[in-house]
Amino acid sequence: MADPWQDAMDHAVAVARRAGTMVRDAVQNDMKVMLKSSSVDLVTQTDQKVENLIIQSVTEKFPTHRFIGEESVAAGEACLLTDSPTWIIDPVDGTTNFVHGYAFVAVSIGFAVNKQLEFGVVYSCMEDKMYTGRKGRGAFCNGEALQVSDQKEITQSMVATEFGSNRDPEVVDKIFSSMRKVLCLPVHGMRGAGSAALNMCHVAAGSVEVYYETGIHCWDVAAAAVIVAEAGGVLMDVEGGPMDLMSRRVVAANCQVIGERIVKEIDAFSPERDDAAPPEKA
Ligand code: LIP
């Protein structure tokens, strides 16, 4: 059967490539770093330029489609997923990496219809790796099919997580106590690429068994969630049960057994949801 969203997906791949070139070019130049929620939550003009490029180019081709974009939300737009076809965009996932010239930087474009994720495109700009996933049709990296690892033993596993950008000591304590428990299971190793989307692509590619994080946003994980699922992996909440895209909590695992095992070690907490109502104006 013809894929009703093939055109949109082809467009996402093409625009992600253009965006990636913009990111690579920007790394060579001086960049102006600005702050968002805190002094460690960084944003650059490139994040904003890339998001504008993607939104403009998609709007020209699909004028009725809607957007949730990291920088548009930072500028005050609502983060609401409706039944309309919606592009969920992180123009630069791994902004801190980008600012420091650390190699894992991705353009992440997810696409949802009727609140269901249909496809995801994650372009790892510095590595020139194009990860794609289309619901029901598989996941690929530069055209090669992706398959999660078949490991079922947590003690033989590689685990990825991140410190995030919340430096509230209570939150940092929870992050460290979870990491300590995971490390002492013991696991083979713990890593963090500095990009949620790429951590998840590493699960899809089989080099990491499980990635978990609290504090991410829907634009960090929407695209890669399709890639993980289509590579045979599972997505869940940090307390088990299904992943909720707006909850800012994610576990992406190669299989249910590993996902559920890691959940037992996580000290869960709940940041404000992405779709929380904005505060009323005084
Ligand atoms: C970042 C993530 C990173 C996570 C940060 C942040 P950004 O996205 O990909 O892994 O730890 O909290 O969400 O801000 O670079 O798009």
Side-chain angles (χ1 to χ4, degrees):
M1 204 181 75
D3 180 352
W5 301 115
Q6 186 65 52
D7 251 18
M9 186 161 166
D10 290 346
H11 194 75
V13 170
V15 79
R17 225 179 260 293
R18 278 173 66 199
T21 305
M22 217 175 191
V23 172
R24 276 195 303 269
D25 289 350
V27 170
Q28 318 293 330
N29 298 319
D30 275 352
M31 53 180 96
K32 186 171 173 235
V33 181
M34 296 162 283
L35 307 179
K36 292 202 286 190
S37 63
S38 74
S39 64
V40 295
D41 186 7
L42 313 182
V43 64
T44 70
Q45 279 167 338
T46 305
D47 298 59
Q48 294 159 343
K49 275 195 208 155
V50 169
E51 186 160 316
N52 290 342
L53 166 87
I54 297 171
I55 293 178
Q56 252 175 32
S57 130
V58 173
T59 305
E60 274 167 28
K61 198 161 163 69
F62 305 101
T64 60
H65 290 190
R66 301 172 67 118
F67 300 92
I68 294 176
E70 174 169 17
E71 304 318 327
S72 313
V73 171
E77 284 198 18
C79 182
L80 276 187
L81 188 58
T82 66
D83 286 343
S84 303
T86 303
W87 297 65
I88 306 171
I89 302 163
D90 189 340
V92 180
D93 187 46
T95 303
T96 306
N97 286 353
F98 171 64
V99 166
H100 289 269
Y102 194 83
F104 292 118
V105 179
V107 176
S108 173
I109 305 177
F111 180 77
V113 183
N114 294 323
K115 302 190 185 75
Q116 301 300 312
L117 292 167
E118 290 289 340
F119 67 74
V121 170
V122 173
Y123 181 48
S124 182
C125 316
M126 307 303 170
E127 305 177 285
D128 190 21
K129 286 188 178 174
M130 182 68 75
Y131 294 92
T132 59
R134 170 72 180 105
K135 192 167 89 185
R137 293 172 193 237
F140 299 86
C141 178
N142 289 351
E144 297 267 322
L146 294 173
Q147 178 64 50
V148 294
S149 126
D150 60 7
Q151 184 56 254
K152 298 275 184 300
E153 280 295 329
I154 194 71
T155 55
Q156 310 286 308
S157 296
M158 179 76 98
V159 181
T161 191
E162 298 286 341
F163 299 113
S165 57
N166 189 332
R167 298 293 184 267
D168 172 348
E170 276 177 29
V171 167
V172 173
D173 283 348
K174 288 202 173 208
I175 291 171
F176 275 106
S177 67
S178 304
M179 285 179 77
R180 185 181 193 285
K181 285 191 270 173
V182 170
L183 198 58
C184 294
L185 281 168
V187 294
H188 272 184
M190 292 189 80
R191 301 286 185 271
S195 152
L198 289 177
N199 284 323
M200 290 170 73
C201 288
H202 297 160
V203 173
S207 48
V208 165
E209 270 70 33
V210 55
Y211 157 69
Y212 70 92
E213 188 174 351
T214 297
I216 43 80
H217 294 275
C218 58
W219 46 80
D220 296 314
V221 297
V226 186
I227 296 167
V228 168
E230 288 301 317
V234 297
L235 296 147
M236 54 180 82
D237 179 61
V238 295
E239 291 185 271
M243 176 186 89
D244 171 348
L245 187 61
M246 294 293 161
S247 71
R248 305 187 56 197
R249 316 192 320 170
V250 68
V251 175
N254 65 328
C255 65
Q256 197 72 19
V257 177
I258 294 279
E260 282 171 4
R261 186 65 194 84
I262 215 78
V263 157
K264 289 192 180 145
E265 309 303 328
I266 299 174
D267 286 335
F269 59 98
S270 301
E272 185 174 57
R273 294 177 59 83
D274 276 335
D275 56 1
E280 293 206 4
K281 286 195 182 115

